[in-house]
């Protein structure tokens, strides 16, 4: 059945708004060309969207820059303000943007959970309020929150997960209390990183892929046929609990020690660096990502390397770095091969700070091992966004939610 006039108008309006979001300000003629709609229909939707306060004249285009045909129309960016939070074990990062995603202000603060749940929550909420004020946002329409742990699929809230700070769960409730009328959307940090890598990063050309988050913690995000898969209890991708060879014992329901986390988490990467004799060479106080970045620099600078065991004799910096990357790739391949065998994603992104630091050097090593271990083809790519992916994904989620409501 043909759409009713009101439904057709809604479809045309949404199409025009999507084009303005993707392309930036456009003239009525450009909208006509991109939508395939008639000139009168485009004129009607421009008038309608302008009257509703969703679009406005944003300048003029063309050599003469005058007349109705030269008018550029764009989305009213200050129609709504958005915020995104990246909640880590040790602190919070906040960014505030307008409706089209232009960042207006951002800041981070370290948070010491030992000070107590109340003070930690107050620090985080006060940061959100301060950044919003700096951005000129009197009211936040939507806030996207990325945090470690499981999200209850029924309530959309963080579950009480062992090992995570109590202030994480209390923070979400505090945001609801201090920001009345604001939509709060909570999502697992690894899932948000996958969304960001799909929109703006390493998986921009993939509808099906798995992202491995390699940082202080370990996680995976599963995207199949363009949709993020969270699982029945919100725990899809909790790969840190995956039992793998090479660990002491097995993981438990409340502790991932003994699982894949014990081989690939930041602490395990640093211990491996010590065993391989590269920890001190990477610089005083270098974290896991810093050590991996140093090793990549040494190898790409001409150091030799191969599949050499940890117990081999020491060589120059390039030999030690290559040995470290080889053994790290052996470990990562255990988790990657398990996911490839189960899901056949065709593409795996090594995300987080460690995945980004490893770059192509680490990705190629992991891919070589997967080729030997699995009959299923799987391209392995390094993260483009690294640790910034969580905040970017949270902002994209807030933007999608706000535009979905306002443009609806």
């Amino acid at each position: 059945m043909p759409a009713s006039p009101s439904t057709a108008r809604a479809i045309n309006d949404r199409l025009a708004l999507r084009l303005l979001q993707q392309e930036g300000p456009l003239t009525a003629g450009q909208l006509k060309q991109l939508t395939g709609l008639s000139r009168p229909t485009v004129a009607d939707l421009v008038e309608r969207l302008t009257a509703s306060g969703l679009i406005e004249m944003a300048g003029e285009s063309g050599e003469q820059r005058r007349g109705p045909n030269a008018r550029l129309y764009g989305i009213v960016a200050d129609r709504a303000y958005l915020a995104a939070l990246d909640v880590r074990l040790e602190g919070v990062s906040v960014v505030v943007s307008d409706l089209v995603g232009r960042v207006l202000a951002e800041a981070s603060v370290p948070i010491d959970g030992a000070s107590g749940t109340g003070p930690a929550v107050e620090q985080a909420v006060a940061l959100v309020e301060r950044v919003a004020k700096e951005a000129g946002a009197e009211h936040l329409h939507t806030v996207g929150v990325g945090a470690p742990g499981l999200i209850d699929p029924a309530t959309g809230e963080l579950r009480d997960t062992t090992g995570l700070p109590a202030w994480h769960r209390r923070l979400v409730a505090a945001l609801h209390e201090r920001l009345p009328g604001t939509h709060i959307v909570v999502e697992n940090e690894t899932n948000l990183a996958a969304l960001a890598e799909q929109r703006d990063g390493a998986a921009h050309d993939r509808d099906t892929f798995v992202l491995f988050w390699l940082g202080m913690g370990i996680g995976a995000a599963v995207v199949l046929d363009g949709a993020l898969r969270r699982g029945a209890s919100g725990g899809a991708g909790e790969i840190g609990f995956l039992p793998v060879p090479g660990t002491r014992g097995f993981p438990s329901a409340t502790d991932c020690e003994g699982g894949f986390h014990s081989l690939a988490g930041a602490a395990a990467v640093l211990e491996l660096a010590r065993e391989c004799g590269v920890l001190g060479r990477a610089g005083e106080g270098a974290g896991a990502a810093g050590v991996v970045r140093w090793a990549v620099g040494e190898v790409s600078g001409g150091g030799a390397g191969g599949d050499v065991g940890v117990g081999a004799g020491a060589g120059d910096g390039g030999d030690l770095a290559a040995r470290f990357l080889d053994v790290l790739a052996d470990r990562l391949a255990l988790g990657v091969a398990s996911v490839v065998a189960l899901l056949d994603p065709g593409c795996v992104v090594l995300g987080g700070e460690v995945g980004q630091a490893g770059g192509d050097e680490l990705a190629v090593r992991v891919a070589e091992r997967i080729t030997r271990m699995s009959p299923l083809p799987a391209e392995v790519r390094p993260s483009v966004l690294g640790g910034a992916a969580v905040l970017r994904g949270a902002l994209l989620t807030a933007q999608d939610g706000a535009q979905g409501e306002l443009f609806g």
Side-chain angles (χ1 to χ4, degrees):
M1 295 179 63
S4 66
S6 61
T7 301
R9 285 194 295 271
I11 293 172
N12 293 339
D13 291 354
R14 192 61 184 264
L15 174 60
L17 288 165
R18 186 167 67 246
L19 287 169
L20 291 170
Q21 167 65 25
Q22 295 171 349
E23 305 293 334
L26 298 169
T27 65
Q30 290 170 326
L31 281 171
K32 174 182 178 298
Q33 181 180 8
L34 292 171
T35 61
L37 299 172
S38 68
R39 187 178 299 277
T41 299
V42 170
D44 286 343
L45 74 83
V46 166
E47 182 179 356
R48 187 164 55 249
L49 293 176
T50 301
S52 67
L54 290 175
I55 70 172
E56 63 184 353
M57 185 175 168
E60 292 183 322
S61 175
E63 295 182 1
Q64 297 182 349
R65 297 183 179 274
R66 63 187 183 191
N69 293 334
R71 293 172 184 166
L72 283 167
Y73 296 93
I75 293 173
V76 179
D78 60 1
R79 176 68 183 268
Y81 293 97
L82 320 169
L85 279 71
D86 181 2
V87 182
R88 303 288 180 100
L89 296 178
E90 70 283 359
V92 175
S93 296
V94 176
V95 62
V96 172
S97 81
D98 58 24
L99 185 58
V100 297
R102 184 172 61 243
V103 173
L104 304 174
E106 55 188 319
S108 300
V109 295
I111 292 181
D112 181 8
S115 62
T117 299
V121 170
E122 179 58 32
Q123 265 190 289
V125 176
L127 179 67
V128 175
E129 293 174 335
R130 175 168 65 81
V131 177
K133 184 177 181 180
E134 291 174 359
E138 294 184 4
H139 173 75
L140 294 173
H141 183 283
T142 305
V143 174
V145 181
L150 303 179
I151 309 300
D152 190 322
T155 65
E157 297 182 351
L158 272 171
R159 289 169 52 182
D160 188 5
T161 306
T162 302
L164 294 178
W167 66 267
H168 280 197
R169 295 189 71 238
R170 176 58 189 149
L171 173 59
V172 176
L175 289 172
H176 281 291
E177 294 169 2
R178 296 274 283 271
L179 302 174
T182 296
H183 301 283
I184 311 294
V185 183
V186 186
E187 183 58 271
N188 173 268
E189 60 179 357
T190 306
N191 289 342
L192 291 177
L195 171 63
E197 293 285 0
Q198 187 180 32
R199 294 278 192 93
D200 303 328
H204 65 91
D205 58 344
R206 292 282 183 166
D207 286 332
T208 295
F209 70 99
V210 171
L211 178 135
F212 273 68
W213 180 264
L214 306 175
M216 182 177 295
I218 295 294
V222 179
V223 178
L224 302 178
D225 299 324
L228 184 67
R229 306 297 181 178
R230 296 175 176 82
S233 64
E238 286 295 318
I239 199 167
F241 286 88
L242 178 72
V244 291
T247 63
R248 294 184 293 273
F250 295 97
S252 70
T254 58
D255 190 354
C256 59
E257 286 299 321
F260 183 56
H261 173 83
S262 298
L263 293 183
V269 173
L270 289 175
E271 177 60 22
L272 175 62
R274 186 190 63 77
E275 294 174 3
C276 291
V278 302
L279 184 58
R281 294 172 178 251
E284 186 69 26
V291 173
V292 172
R293 188 175 298 108
W294 171 86
V296 169
E298 287 293 309
V299 171
S300 61
D307 290 330
V308 183
V310 174
D316 61 19
D319 291 329
L320 293 173
R323 184 179 303 121
F324 166 68
L325 290 176
D326 284 334
V327 180
L328 179 57
D330 288 339
R331 293 183 174 194
L332 295 179
L334 293 174
V336 173
S338 300
V339 168
V340 169
L342 286 173
L343 299 176
D344 186 21
C347 178
V348 173
V349 176
L350 302 182
E353 295 91 347
V354 171
Q356 184 183 42
D360 289 328
E361 286 285 351
L362 183 58
V364 167
R365 282 171 161 78
V366 174
E368 289 172 348
R369 287 152 176 80
I370 299 304
T371 299
R372 296 198 298 264
M373 297 168 68
S374 174
L376 305 177
E379 184 180 1
V380 181
R381 302 176 177 180
S383 166
V384 170
L385 302 173
V390 177
L391 200 59
R392 177 60 180 159
L395 186 58
L396 287 169
T397 298
Q399 187 178 4
D400 289 347
Q403 290 185 356
E405 178 182 325
L406 295 174
F407 295 173

